[in-house]
Amino acid sequence: MSFLKLFKWRKRSELERKGPASKKRRNGDTATQVIRRPVMGRVLPSLVVLLTWLVCAFTILYRAPQNTLDLVRGQRSPTSVVAQVDFSYIDEAETQEARQREAQKVLDYYRLDTTRKEQSLQAFQRLFDFLQQESEGPPPAGGSDTLAAVLDNLGERERAVLIAIFRDADNQRTFLETLNDYLQNGVVQADKEWITDRTERIIVVDQHNRKPLDQSKQGVSTSDLLTPEAAAAKALDSVIGNRGRIDGIDLRGLNLAAALAPLVKPNLAFDADLRRVAREQAMERVQPEMRLVNKGTVFIARGSTVSEQDINKLKAHALMIESSRDLMLEMKQDIKLLVISLLLLLIAAIYVRHQHPELVARKLSLIMLGTVGSLQLLIVWATEEAMHFFQAGIPVFVYPALPLTLAPLLLALLVGKKAGLSAAILLPPLIIVVGDKPSEVLVLAIVTSLVGVIAIYKSRTRVQTFRAALWILLAGYLVEAAYLLHNGLPWHHFLYVLGVLAASAFLTILLVNLLLPLCEFLFRLTTNISLLELSDLNHPLLKRLQLEAPGTYHHTLMVATLAEHGAQAVGANTLLTRVAAYFHDIGKLANPSYFTENSFGQNRHEELSPRMSSMVILNHVKEGLAMAAKYKLKEPIREAIATHHGTSLVYYFYRRALDSNQINDAADEENFRYPGPAPQSREASIISLADSCEAASRSLEKPTPQKIDAQVEEIFHNKLLNGQLDHSQLTMAELKIVVETIKKTLHTMLHGRVAYPKFSDTEPGEQAKKTAARKPRSADEGTETVDEPRRPQPEAGGGSTDASDRAASIRGGDTIIIEPGTYDNPDRKEADRLH
C-alpha cells in the first residue's frame, strides 16, 4: 500500500511540473507553483566548491624548496635560518638545570649505627644489675666510665627511686624494649649540630641500606627525632606512667631522664656516598628537555653568533628533513590536508546554503563567493612565499604580515555584515589547514576579521574604511603581544610586530578599496560607497528632475523620507532605500507634462484616448529603466524603478475605456497594467508602499491623523489582497512596522499651520477684536487651509497612478488609481466618485 502511495505521489509531482509550472502566473493567483530549476543552477554550487578546492590543492602541493645552511661554532650567521619542517632538539642548558633541581630534591641519608645501639642497651643492663644489689659502693667490675659518672651524679632519692623501679624484672624488660624502639628510629645529639646546613627532613637506613617500615616516602622530619634525654624520658614513662609516688618517694622535682641521658648513645651517622648515589640516580631519571620548533620559525637569527646549541638545532633540523622526505609520508600528509580542506569547504557551502540562500540563488553572487575565497587563499600563500624567498620568513613577522582579513572585509562591503562575519569564521580554519600554520594564526585571523567586519560594514566613504585598519591593528596587536609574552621574546620584537601589523592592515584596506569597484562591476553588486556617490542630488538625472519635473522631484524627496524611515524601523538598508527612491520616477522625464504634479493645471489627457493615456502612464517605468541603463545605475535602483508600481492596474483610464466600450475582452486588461514585476527585496517593497502612501495623502482634504491612518491602512491591505507583496522579503510583522512608521512620518509631514491674521492699519484694539471674532470654532478649523478645488486631472506618476492606491478620490488634480480586483464592486464610494 505504501508503495502505491509513493507511486501516486511521484506521478502527481510529475504532473505538477508539466502543468502549472510551465504556465504564466496570472495576477491574483496565489496557488503554489513548482518552478523548474535549471541545470546550471544545480551544478554551479558544486562547480564553485570544486574550483575553490583546486586553489586549495595548488597552495598545498606547491611549495618553493628551501636549502639549509652549513654553519660552524663561533661563526656569524649570514642569514636567518627558517625551519622547513617541525623538529625537536635537546635544550642542554634547560636539561642540566632540571637535573640540578631534581638532585637538590634528594634528602640527606643517615645510617643507623647498630653498635652504638647495643652499647646503650648494655649500659642500661649493667645499671639494672648494679641497682639490684642495692649497694652504694663502686660500680661492679666491667663497668664503663659513663656508668660510673651516672651513678656518681645520682642523689639518694633518685637512687632509691631507680632501685624501686628496676627491682622488678618486668620493668627492666619494658624499659629496654621501649628504648630499643627509639634507638631503632634513630637518636640524635642534643645540640643538633648534626643538621647544620642540611634539610629539615632526612632518610634513615640501616646497615643493609633498608628503610624502616614506618618511614614515609618523604623521609623523617628532624623534629620527630629524639635526643638521648627525650629517649630516656619516654622509656621511663613506659614504666612509671602517671604515678606520682613510688614506695612512698615523691617523684616531683626529680629529673631521672637527665640523669640517665649519658647512657643513651646517638646512633645516626651522615652517609655522603649514599646521598651522592641517590642524586645521580635522580638526575638520570630526568628526561631531556625537548624544544619544539614549528615550521616557518627562525631558529638562528641573521648576524647572531652560532653556539653549540645552534649546531644541535641544525643537526636536528637536518635529520628531521631527511626523515620527512619519505615520499609516502609526504603523500599521506598532502592527502590529509586535501581531505580536510574539502570537508571545510563542504561545511562552508552547507552553512552558506542555509544562512545565505539569497547568495546561492543568484549565480553571480555564488561565483563572487568562490572568487573572493580563492583570492584570499592565493594572496596569503603568495605573501608567505615571497617573505620566505627574501629570507624574511621569521614567524613573528610573517604571520602578522599576512592579509588574513581581506575576504571578510570585501564581503562585508559587497554583501553585508552577516556575510562578512560568516567569512570571518569559515575562512580562517581553511587558511590554517592549507598553509599548515599554527593555532596562533587561527586566533589572529578570527579576531582581526571579526573586528574588521564590525568596523567596516557601515562605511559609506573610502576614507571611513581606513578607520577599520586602526581597529584591525589594535586587535591584532593584542593577540600578537600575548603570543610574544607567552614565548618570552625580546622587547624589540613588540615594536617590529607593531610595524608589520600596521603595514599589513593599511595595505589590506588599500587592496580592499582597489578590488571593491572591480567586484561591483564584475558581479553587479552595490555597496554603500557607490550608493553614497549616487545620493548626490547633483546627479545629472536628479538635476533634470529638478528643472524639468519639479513636482515629481518634490514627490521623490517625500517618498525617500518616508521609505528611509520605514527601512530604518525594520533594519533594512536605509541608504539604498533613499537612493533608490530618488531615482524611482526618473522615467517621467520622457513626458513630464502628462503627470499631474508637473502639469501646472493643464490636463494633457483630454486630447488622448484612454488607451493612449494609459500607454503614456505605463511607459514611464520602461523609460526609467532605459535611463537607468544609460547612466549605469546599480541593479537595486533598477529594481525599485521596475517594481514600485508592481503589476497594478491604471484603473482610472481602464474605467474610462470600459465605459466608452473601447475594451473588447478581458485580455485587454493587460494593456492597462504595469509590467512589474512585484517588489521582492525589502527596500523595493518599502519604496512601493511609501510611494503609494505619499501620493494618496495628497487627496486628503484637511488631513488629520485619523484620516491618514485610515488611508495608509487601506493602501496596505489593498496591496496585500492583490498580491503585490507576495514576493516581498518582509515578514508580516515587519510590514506592520513599516506601515506604522509611514503613518507617524505622514503625521509630521502633513501637519497643519496656524492661520496668521493679515496686516492692517487699524488700531491694535480693533485688530484684536477682529482677530478674536475670527477665532476658529475647532482645532481642525484653525489649523487647516483649504485651497479652492481645481479641475480633476488624471495623474500617471508621482505615485498618483500607483496601482496599490485603492482610494479613488480626486482632489487638486491628483488621481488615485484603484488596485485590480476592486473595480468590480459598484458600491464602493471611490469607484462611484471616479465614475
Side-chain angles (χ1 to χ4, degrees), residues 643-695:
T643 63
H644 71 281
H645 287 302
T647 57
S648 57
L649 185 71
V650 184
Y651 180 72
Y652 179 80
F653 296 112
Y654 175 77
R655 187 69 185 189
R656 282 182 55 187
L658 195 65
D659 293 342
S660 60
N661 297 321
Q662 297 181 17
I663 296 179
N664 299 324
D665 51 25
D668 284 345
E669 179 185 328
E670 295 297 331
N671 298 327
F672 293 86
R673 193 176 295 279
Y674 282 99
Q680 297 183 3
S681 67
R682 293 153 61 91
E683 292 76 15
S685 303
I686 294 171
I687 291 173
S688 177
L689 278 170
D691 181 46
S692 301
C693 294
E694 198 281 333

Side-chain angles (χ1 to χ4, degrees), residues 28-50:
D29 183 13
T30 58
T32 302
Q33 299 184 26
V34 180
I35 301 175
R36 181 175 296 175
R37 191 175 181 184
V39 176
M40 193 61 184
R42 297 193 297 267
V43 174
L44 185 60
S46 302
L47 189 60
V48 170
V49 172
L50 177 61

Side-chain angles (χ1 to χ4, degrees), residues 553-575:
Y553 177 73
H554 178 265
H555 161 74
T556 294
L557 295 181
M558 297 301 102
V559 172
T561 301
L562 286 175
E564 185 179 21
H565 288 180
Q568 185 177 13
V570 295
N573 191 330
T574 56
L575 181 59

